[in-house]
Amino acid sequence: MTSEEIKINVQKALDEIRPFLNSDGGDITLISIENDKHVKVRLEGACVACGVNQMTLKAGVETTIKKYVPEIETVENVL
């Protein structure tokens, strides 16, 4: 997969998870993809102060991104 295809597929994954975050008053933005393996995102809105945002990041966001782009190794929330 090219870098551009990876970015498109990561965006598709975020578009899939976004309605769930929006329903709780949150959102997510793609910040960067490093070396085609490490994704940095920013949880926003209600997700910032949510006590389970790390679980959401791993169980929801990372799982969904890896479904679209299996070569992604890590997903990190940056402030």
Side-chain angles (χ1 to χ4, degrees):
M1 216 180 281
T2 68
S3 293
E4 187 60 29
E5 290 171 324
I6 289 171
K7 183 176 181 182
I8 289 167
N9 284 327
V10 168
Q11 285 288 8
K12 286 180 184 177
L14 295 181
D15 289 343
E16 181 178 314
I17 196 98
R18 185 169 281 115
F20 299 102
L21 299 175
N22 290 162
S23 70
D24 288 329
D27 205 352
I28 192 165
T29 300
L30 176 63
I31 301 302
S32 66
I33 303 171
E34 299 174 358
N35 302 320
D36 294 339
K37 295 180 183 177
H38 307 286
V39 176
K40 292 188 177 188
V41 296
R42 179 175 297 126
L43 291 171
E44 300 172 339
C47 292
V48 174
C50 178
V52 293
N53 66 10
Q54 285 305 308
M55 186 170 59
T56 299
L57 185 69
K58 293 296 178 188
V61 177
E62 186 172 293
T63 301
T64 304
I65 288 174
K66 286 181 176 182
K67 179 174 77 172
Y68 282 83
V69 190
E71 52 268 45
I72 294 297
E73 295 176 3
T74 62
V75 178
E76 177 185 353
N77 181 41
V78 296
L79 302 175

